[in-house]
Amino acid sequence: MTAARYLGNHAFALEDAPVPQPAAGEVRLRVAWCGICGTDMHIFHGKMDARVKPPQIIGHEMSGIVDAVGPGVTGWSPGDHVTVRPLDSCGVCAACRAGHSHVCMRLKFVGIDSPGAFQGLWCVQARLLHRLPADLPLDLAALIEPLAVACHDVRRSRLAAGEKAVVLGGGPIGILVALVARAAGAQVRISEIDAGRRAFATALGLEVLGADTAAEVEAWTDGAGADVVFECTAAAPCAALMTQLARVRGRIVLVGIFTQPVQIDLFRVFWRELELLGARVYEAADFEQAIALAPSLPLDRLVSGRFALTEIGGAFAAAPTGMKTLVACS
Ligand SMILES: [Zn+2]
Ligand SMILES: [Zn+2]
């Protein structure tokens, strides 16, 4: 079978690897498709080499078919369509014991801290599998993982039908958050400065705010402010802006990954009794919701490129120009 190994500094090597045998508690998957995520792009640019430890097989937004089951695995059979929730939590830390294993204090992310899915056959722990309906196309099923992120973000916001939500950022996650929020019955507007992304959101039937987001939200909400703001850019100007957009007791969900401290108007948080909510990855329920929602969402429109595993370098080169780039792994 073919595996693509990230070597560091924008380089992959293809190798012909022996068929791996699943250990106890593992299944062997025939990987169908694996998407390229923003985190994969960070890895590709060499920004996470200390953690990834190249040469390493990365990739975590995948779909596949069970190929073989290891000793002690029950409930799964060859031919089952599945996706993997790529979170390996310790089970014993305070966060795990409190029921928040997705933010385990010793969390290992599969495909970053351990080998990932850019390979034809992949052995993973059976407890990380989610079953896919056989009629969900496997290319679109590779979007279940980012869609589960959006489901988690919306769940954290406690968004109710009829509420007004502003999504800051029209990248892949911002678009998915907007689609999930709309499916929840909310009124949604996206703020995005890139012309191509604005046009894409509009083509999906999403409403896009103009250059003066604050003024438009004020007019849209009769001066009250939005019920929920999703910050999906990790850009400092949006961190400054987000508190201006939320109503009294509104909720702000922090989706973008800020790697540096930024300025936030904490007076506004105090004055309006705002809630700032962190939202990181997903829980099992978010994967199940994503799988249930997927057939009703225009996920096919988000797929901007398809590549063979042997073209993985080209796939990574193309990924920043589109929404979601997929790699066929077997
Ligand atoms: Zn990802
Ligand atoms: Zn833990």
Side-chain angles (χ1 to χ4, degrees), residues 29-52:
L29 303 181
R30 182 168 293 282
V31 180
W33 294 89
C34 187
I36 296 175
C37 155
T39 305
D40 296 317
M41 290 307 304
H42 278 291
I43 294 170
F44 184 62
H45 292 307
K47 291 177 184 153
M48 295 172 67
D49 283 358
R51 181 172 166 194
V52 172

Side-chain angles (χ1 to χ4, degrees), residues 140 143 179 182 200 204 294-303:
L140 305 187
L143 278 74
L179 291 173
R182 186 169 70 176
F200 179 77
L204 287 178
S296 66
L297 300 179
L299 297 183
D300 54 325
R301 304 275 296 278
L302 271 76
V303 178

Side-chain angles (χ1 to χ4, degrees), residues 146-188:
L147 181 58
V149 170
C151 289
H152 187 67
D153 300 334
V154 172
R155 193 153 63 90
R156 287 284 284 156
S157 77
R158 310 189 306 277
L159 187 67
E163 285 194 314
K164 291 179 175 170
V166 174
V167 178
L168 298 177
I173 293 294
I175 293 287
L176 289 169
V177 167
L179 291 173
V180 173
R182 186 169 70 176
Q187 305 175 58
V188 184

Side-chain angles (χ1 to χ4, degrees), residues 4 31 34 56-60 62 109-124:
V31 180
C34 187
Q56 173 71 280
I57 301 169
I58 62 172
H60 62 268
M62 61 75 64
F109 197 96
V110 178
I112 297 175
D113 302 307
S114 61
F118 285 125
Q119 53 183 328
L121 296 168
W122 185 34
C123 289
V124 292

Side-chain angles (χ1 to χ4, degrees), residues 37 43 68 81 84 88 113 130 163 239 243 256 268 271 276-277:
C37 155
I43 294 170
H81 288 203
V84 169
D88 186 6
D113 302 307
H130 285 267
E163 285 194 314
T243 52
R268 186 83 168 188
W271 196 250
L276 298 182
L277 298 159

Side-chain angles (χ1 to χ4, degrees), residues 88-97 100-101 103-107:
D88 186 6
S89 48
C90 77
V92 296
C93 74
C96 282
R97 280 188 280 117
H100 312 306
S101 63
V103 283
C104 167
M105 294 159 80
R106 289 188 281 270
L107 188 71

Side-chain angles (χ1 to χ4, degrees), residues 2 9 36 49 113 218 241 260 275-276:
T2 304
N9 192 26
I36 296 175
D49 283 358
D113 302 307
E218 191 173 341
L241 175 66
Q260 297 292 324
E275 284 184 63
L276 298 182

